[in-house]
Amino acid sequence: MYPTDLTDRQWDCIKELIPPAKPGGHPRTLEMRAVVNAIMYLLVTGCQWRMLPREYPAWQSVYTYFRQWRDDGTWQRMHDSLRTQVRERAGRHKHPTAGALDSQSVKTSQVPGERGYDAGKQVKGRKRHILVDTLGLLMAVLVTSAALSDPAGAKGLFKRLGGACKKMRRIWVDGTYRGHLLEWVMRHCRFLLQPVLRAAGQKGFEVLPRRWVVERTFAWLTQCRRLSKDYEGLTSSSEALIYIAMTRLMVRRLAA
């Protein structure tokens, strides 16, 4: 019905990853494809939950599934499964050995929730810390107050890394992550941080090696209007929407 709806080939990529109905109680009556389409519509257009078109299931039902799959980790598991398929199709091992790390400060709306002021970028809102592989695919995400420093956010992100990052050996970062964080990573992690710095005397914009990959991922995310700002009350909802945005990108690649 809408350009954001999944095609048949795209739906075939994820339909087996949708959790089955829980045993007991009333049987599931909603079509899961319509629920996923409604969430994709909200993500891309940036509308409110109550503003979902009537062609989709009731917004309360759609939001219930979004919240349930957010809390039980379904969105992340679905995302990680698709990332494995995309990497294998590109001729890569499912576990990357290198990646890039960076953060992005975004403004928030008037919805109550965690927020702060990033004095460096002069943004009041939240900060997205993401780790991507060399293809720009998301490995981990952490959404915090914008007042949290990049090194502190990186520590919190590294504590979330699961088995998908067990072969990670090198992560490229910018100069913000230098200092005591490098020593902390050497003591507590299996990988090394390698800063990629601007040339001395450089003025204006210039694409830096390795670091441009994570910047491109941020650009992919902000193509979804719901992620142009942070409209969510909970940081966990913000992280779930980021996983959904990358899921949409990977599904389109696999179905191409």
Side-chain angles (χ1 to χ4, degrees):
M1 293 180 294
Y2 296 96
T4 57
D5 290 349
L6 298 176
T7 65
D8 291 340
R9 296 185 64 178
Q10 292 170 357
W11 173 243
D12 289 340
C13 295
I14 66 171
K15 64 181 181 181
E16 300 299 331
L17 305 176
I18 301 295
K22 294 183 178 180
H26 294 286
R28 178 181 286 175
T29 58
L30 288 181
E31 174 61 42
M32 289 297 97
R33 182 173 180 177
V35 172
V36 174
N37 283 340
I39 296 174
M40 294 295 181
Y41 179 92
L42 177 135
L43 172 70
V44 176
T45 63
C47 72
Q48 299 175 346
W49 288 102
R50 291 172 175 81
M51 300 294 288
L52 283 173
R54 295 182 181 273
E55 290 85 355
Y56 294 124
W59 74 266
Q60 297 93 332
S61 300
V62 176
Y63 179 73
T64 297
Y65 277 104
F66 168 79
R67 182 182 59 193
Q68 176 182 325
W69 294 349
R70 174 200 68 192
D71 295 340
D72 65 14
T74 296
W75 291 120
Q76 183 174 355
R77 288 193 297 271
M78 184 186 305
H79 167 273
D80 292 349
S81 178
L82 293 173
R83 184 189 62 225
T84 297
Q85 298 179 41
V86 173
R87 286 187 57 83
E88 290 177 346
R89 177 172 291 189
R92 307 293 184 91
H93 192 276
K94 63 179 180 179
H95 298 309
T97 58
L101 170 71
D102 205 352
S103 68
Q104 178 190 48
S105 296
V106 294
K107 296 180 180 180
T108 52
S109 65
Q110 298 302 316
V111 176
E114 182 179 358
R115 63 176 61 126
Y117 183 70
D118 183 352
K121 298 180 181 177
Q122 298 182 351
V123 172
K124 182 179 181 181
R126 291 179 180 164
K127 187 175 289 187
R128 300 166 179 163
H129 310 265
I130 67 170
L131 173 65
V132 302
D133 63 8
T134 53
L135 298 178
L137 303 179
L138 187 69
M139 301 301 300
V141 59
L142 175 66
V143 178
T144 66
S145 163
L148 189 70
S149 67
D150 287 353
K155 289 182 180 180
L157 184 70
F158 293 153
K159 293 177 181 178
R160 287 190 170 190
L161 299 183
C165 297
K166 62 183 180 181
K167 292 184 177 294
M168 192 74 69
R169 294 296 178 263
R170 187 181 304 274
I171 297 178
W172 291 285
V173 296
D174 61 22
T176 309
Y177 297 92
R178 290 179 294 177
H180 72 279
L181 178 62
L182 298 178
E183 300 176 0
W184 184 89
V185 169
M186 292 180 64
R187 291 196 305 267
H188 297 89
C189 303
R190 302 178 299 272
F191 47 78
L192 298 175
L193 297 185
Q194 181 174 332
V196 179
L197 307 178
R198 300 176 63 179
Q202 176 183 336
K203 295 182 180 180
F205 174 78
E206 182 176 342
V207 177
L208 297 178
R210 304 298 183 178
R211 276 176 49 187
W212 67 269
V213 176
V214 65
E215 298 293 348
R216 182 183 60 179
T217 303
F218 281 129
W220 289 340
L221 295 179
T222 51
Q223 289 177 358
C224 299
R225 289 189 177 182
R226 187 80 179 194
L227 296 176
S228 61
K229 292 176 64 175
D230 197 318
Y231 296 95
E232 313 309 315
L234 300 176
T235 56
S236 58
S237 295
S238 302
E239 294 166 0
L241 287 173
I242 290 175
Y243 280 119
I244 296 172
M246 292 301 296
T247 296
R248 177 174 179 268
L249 181 144
M250 292 186 294
V251 164
R252 296 170 72 185
R253 288 189 181 183
L254 291 172

